[in-house]
Amino acid sequence: QVQLVESGGGLVQAGGSLRLSCAASGRTFSGKAMGWFRQAPGKEREFVSAVSGSGASTFYADSVKGRFTISRDNAKNTVYLQMISLKPEDTAVYYCASYTGRYYYTGALNDFWGKGTQVTVSS
């Protein structure tokens, strides 16, 4: 069992920055790829970014490429999402999720989810 707790969300003006954190419990953290997803009101949850278990490989949705950076600290069992140049369309609840395996690939399965943290970007 893995428990995930997100933090770092808030209200920011367009063009601003935020860093989200996801703290994970459990001894298998470094063996699991991790991802960030988001869900805006009235929309489906969408993939934002993922990182492999070692942190060596990262992946991004086209909509955030060049603005968001995912990273992880396996010693702290924490994954981060640094967000810069935020836009109003980035407003959403952001969720952290673990994958069943060490590597991310399209279609990889998530097994545990956090409860989310709200990010609101004002224009």
Side-chain angles (χ1 to χ4, degrees):
Q1 189 80 5
V2 175
Q3 290 186 323
L4 304 173
V5 180
E6 303 96 336
S7 61
L11 174 63
V12 63
Q13 289 188 333
S17 302
L18 283 174
R19 188 175 83 153
L20 306 183
S21 299
C22 173
S25 66
R27 294 176 292 176
T28 60
F29 181 73
S30 63
K32 302 174 76 65
M34 297 294 295
W36 287 96
F37 295 75
R38 66 187 182 186
Q39 187 167 19
K43 296 187 176 181
E44 293 187 353
R45 187 175 298 185
E46 64 175 358
F47 170 81
V48 174
S49 183
V51 59
S52 62
S54 68
S57 299
T58 57
F59 307 85
Y60 299 93
D62 288 342
S63 59
V64 306
K65 204 169 291 184
R67 300 187 298 120
F68 291 10
T69 302
I70 191 170
S71 62
R72 65 189 296 161
D73 185 339
N74 286 343
K76 296 182 178 180
N77 277 17
T78 301
V79 62
Y80 305 97
L81 186 68
Q82 178 68 51
M83 307 184 293
I84 66 171
S85 302
L86 283 161
K87 305 174 181 179
E89 51 263 44
D90 293 319
T91 294
V93 177
Y94 283 71
Y95 298 90
C96 172
S98 59
Y99 289 90
T100 57
R102 187 175 185 86
Y103 301 101
Y104 170 78
Y105 55 91
T106 301
L109 297 178
N110 300 106
D111 49 6
F112 298 102
W113 291 83
K115 294 183 178 181
T117 185
Q118 176 71 47
V119 171
T120 302
V121 185
S122 63
S123 57

